[in-house]
Amino acid sequence: MKKIILLSLSLLVLLSGCKDDIPEPESFSFSNKVQAKEKTSLSVKHIVQGNQVFIECVVPDVTFSTKRKGAKKGKIIVSSNTGGLYKEFYTAAFVVKNLPKGNHILNVEVVSPSNKPLGIKKRLYVTIP
């Protein structure tokens, strides 16, 4: 009986002693913060009808036809895996015509009017039935 009481008391002392020494959570600090390059996002929607692909691009900070305040002027270059450069477009919505049957990869890239890359591009996978 004495052993049980002694064991209970020692366990109670140990548990009550741990209550005061709760460890503080560690905080993290980064001395070298890595900043990602600011990239403008490119949203592309496409619809395949026959051998044509209707493409619509949304680029928040780029204008294709008129000069908007604070927006860069740009154009869209489309190239394919089968024929290389397809065409340049100066509008946000356009049609890629006369694609042969089969699977195609279309690369859509936004560049400046002087063909300087803006780092904005997407790849589309298209199947012409």
Side-chain angles (χ1 to χ4, degrees), residues 42-62:
L42 170 61
S43 174
V44 178
K45 295 178 184 177
H46 71 281
I47 299 172
V48 177
Q49 286 186 345
N51 64 349
Q52 298 180 359
V53 181
F54 297 87
I55 299 176
E56 179 185 18
C57 300
V58 178
V59 188
D61 297 328
V62 177

Side-chain angles (χ1 to χ4, degrees), residues 2 12 14 21-23 30 37 39-40 49 51 59 64 72 78 85 88 93 95 104-105 111-112 121 126:
K2 286 183 181 182
L12 183 63
L14 284 175
D21 295 332
I22 297 174
F30 297 101
K37 287 184 179 179
K39 278 195 166 182
T40 304
Q49 286 186 345
N51 64 349
V59 188
F64 299 108
K72 301 174 196 169
V78 177
L85 177 66
E88 295 179 357
V95 179
H104 301 278
I105 300 172
V111 298
S112 71
K121 57 175 94 173
V126 178

Side-chain angles (χ1 to χ4, degrees), residues 15-81:
L15 290 177
S16 65
C18 290
K19 185 170 101 177
D20 294 332
D21 295 332
I22 297 174
E24 293 291 323
E26 293 182 24
S27 64
F28 296 100
S29 65
F30 297 101
S31 57
N32 295 330
K33 291 184 179 180
V34 177
Q35 293 183 0
K37 287 184 179 179
E38 281 190 36
K39 278 195 166 182
T40 304
S41 64
L42 170 61
S43 174
V44 178
K45 295 178 184 177
H46 71 281
I47 299 172
V48 177
Q49 286 186 345
N51 64 349
Q52 298 180 359
V53 181
F54 297 87
I55 299 176
E56 179 185 18
C57 300
V58 178
V59 188
D61 297 328
V62 177
T63 181
F64 299 108
S65 55
T66 60
K67 191 74 173 171
R68 279 191 339 232
K69 269 190 171 177
K72 301 174 196 169
K73 186 119 173 88
K75 64 182 178 180
I76 297 174
I77 296 177
V78 177
S79 59
S80 70
N81 62 332

